[in-house]
Amino acid sequence: MNKAILKSLKMGGKGGKEQEYQKALGMEWERVSAPLWDFVNKNTGERLELKKQKNLQWLDPLKYGDADKSITMHLLCYDDKGPDLLLETTLGNLLDLMKLDNKFFKTISETKKKMQSYAYGKKMQMKMPVKIRDLEGSSGVRTVFKRKSNT
């Protein structure tokens, strides 16, 4: 991770910041269009998903129920000056921190099937809030970057 490049990125606005973020990740990371990750490391095969927000991130837990829990998650927070906090964890650890277990996924999957049968639509999403900044210091969460408060 090139922290000098990361600090200079303009992450505000809606969507599509993966190309900018790739500059900070480095040349070994390839941008991909996959449902659950944004980048693949060409050398190791590691998969990485980028989530960026000022703090409050909305996640669709139905999307992650059967997913590989080893996917690396980069949780990037930013303010008007640019990126100020980057946390790294695995998808499995993030789901654990959100208290989403197999029982939850089974229940919510059954609920979705019932709702779809009542014509609520096949593309229904359920979003759950995660305050990214509150995860700093949690078990299994590594602080990759934190901007000093006076810069």
Side-chain angles (χ1 to χ4, degrees), residues 72-89:
T72 300
M73 304 294 288
H74 273 195
L75 310 170
L76 179 68
C77 293
Y78 65 91
D79 60 18
D80 295 338
K81 296 177 183 177
D84 67 329
L85 180 66
L86 174 59
L87 303 177
E88 180 179 273
T89 191

Side-chain angles (χ1 to χ4, degrees), residues 19-40:
Q19 284 182 317
E20 290 295 309
Y21 192 70
Q22 186 176 12
K23 295 173 187 174
L25 281 175
M27 297 297 294
E28 67 273 14
W29 290 92
E30 177 181 11
R31 172 76 176 103
V32 295
S33 182
L36 297 176
W37 57 87
D38 300 308
F39 304 96
V40 172

Side-chain angles (χ1 to χ4, degrees), residues 112-113 115-125:
K112 180 182 179 182
K113 286 176 189 171
M115 291 181 77
Q116 286 175 336
S117 72
Y118 291 107
Y120 284 103
K122 299 285 183 209
K123 296 192 179 219
M124 182 186 82
Q125 290 186 336

